[in-house]
Amino acid sequence: MHVLPDVVIKVEDAADLTGFTASDATALATAVEDSEIRRWLPLPDPYPYPVALAEEWSTNVTESIRTSGAGLVRCIRVDGALAGCIDVKRINWRARTAEIGYWLKLSYRGCGHASAAVDARAKWLLVERSFERVELRIATGNRASAAVAVRAGFTFEGVARNAGFIHAGRVDLEIWSRIAGDSGCGPGAGPASRRERPAEPLRR
């Protein structure tokens, strides 16, 4: 079975992509109450999000997603604090394709953390894990997320009509992509592994 490894990725001097832990539960529950996050992400009820549910998600759920081969959920940490979330999903192991999703807490927006995280994750998939294509699927009204796609080096391909849903209903999705042949993502693209280190044991 194919599984993405549990490693820490250095994004910037002060930012890393790490696993979630039980100690993130309170900050996570608070973060997803933000109206802008809930506007664009069809997060599950109940709302407000209980801390106990956030703790279960931060430990058992995220790890089961990884070990099943279905994806990889990582915490965007800035100076050690939870700043947001980035995940790899809709993996087709035979075709070597995947989708990336992401969100940031309000206090960390506008600083380039999202685009840096998306760029780092896309390069890691394309260079280190030999994926052929990575997608972002963004609701057409979500201009902030589309700006992240541009800064992270993705190419706009078009709009998939009625392809997604949010709490307000069905939405069209912009399709953005990076592929193995793009600049900085092909063979010999560079030592991305220098930013990678084994994850510490999960702390519950």
Side-chain angles (χ1 to χ4, degrees):
M1 182 177 66
H2 297 284
V3 174
L4 291 173
D6 184 11
V7 294
V8 176
I9 300 294
K10 172 64 68 176
V11 177
E12 304 165 300
D13 288 343
D16 303 276
L17 306 184
T18 78
F20 283 89
T21 71
S23 61
D24 294 316
T26 299
L28 176 65
T30 300
V32 297
E33 290 181 11
D34 176 64
S35 60
E36 192 68 8
I37 291 175
R38 298 193 69 85
R39 177 185 179 188
W40 298 115
L41 296 180
L43 298 174
D45 291 328
Y47 175 76
Y49 201 58
V51 173
L53 189 59
E55 182 174 339
E56 171 69 12
W57 183 88
S58 297
T59 53
N60 296 329
V61 174
T62 57
E63 183 62 5
S64 67
I65 290 171
R66 189 188 72 81
T67 57
S68 71
L72 182 67
V73 183
R74 299 282 93 171
C75 177
I76 303 172
R77 294 194 190 278
V78 177
D79 293 323
L82 186 156
C85 176
I86 184 166
D87 69 317
V88 181
K89 55 191 175 183
R90 294 191 177 92
I91 296 176
N92 185 321
W93 288 104
R94 185 177 183 186
R96 308 300 293 184
T97 62
E99 179 186 341
I100 292 176
Y102 48 90
W103 56 260
L104 279 181
K105 291 174 63 177
L106 177 61
S107 56
Y108 291 94
R109 294 174 200 157
C111 302
H113 297 310
S115 55
V118 172
D119 175 51
R121 180 53 80 208
K123 286 180 178 176
W124 182 77
L125 288 167
L126 294 166
V127 177
E128 297 295 321
R129 311 313 305 175
S130 300
F131 275 68
E132 293 292 335
R133 174 183 171 89
V134 178
E135 287 186 353
L136 307 178
R137 297 166 68 87
I138 301 169
T140 51
N142 191 347
R143 303 325 305 155
S145 192
V148 169
V150 172
R151 291 193 296 269
F154 280 70
T155 297
F156 175 68
E157 295 186 337
V159 175
R161 297 183 301 159
N162 199 33
F165 67 95
I166 57 177
H167 286 295
R170 302 292 305 185
V171 290
D172 297 343
L173 296 178
E174 295 181 0
I175 309 300
W176 297 74
S177 71
R178 280 177 71 168
I179 63 173
D182 287 344
S183 176
C185 294
S193 59
R194 290 180 184 173
R195 300 177 305 186
E196 178 181 306
R197 66 180 189 272
E200 296 179 359
L202 184 65
R203 298 188 302 275
R204 297 186 182 277

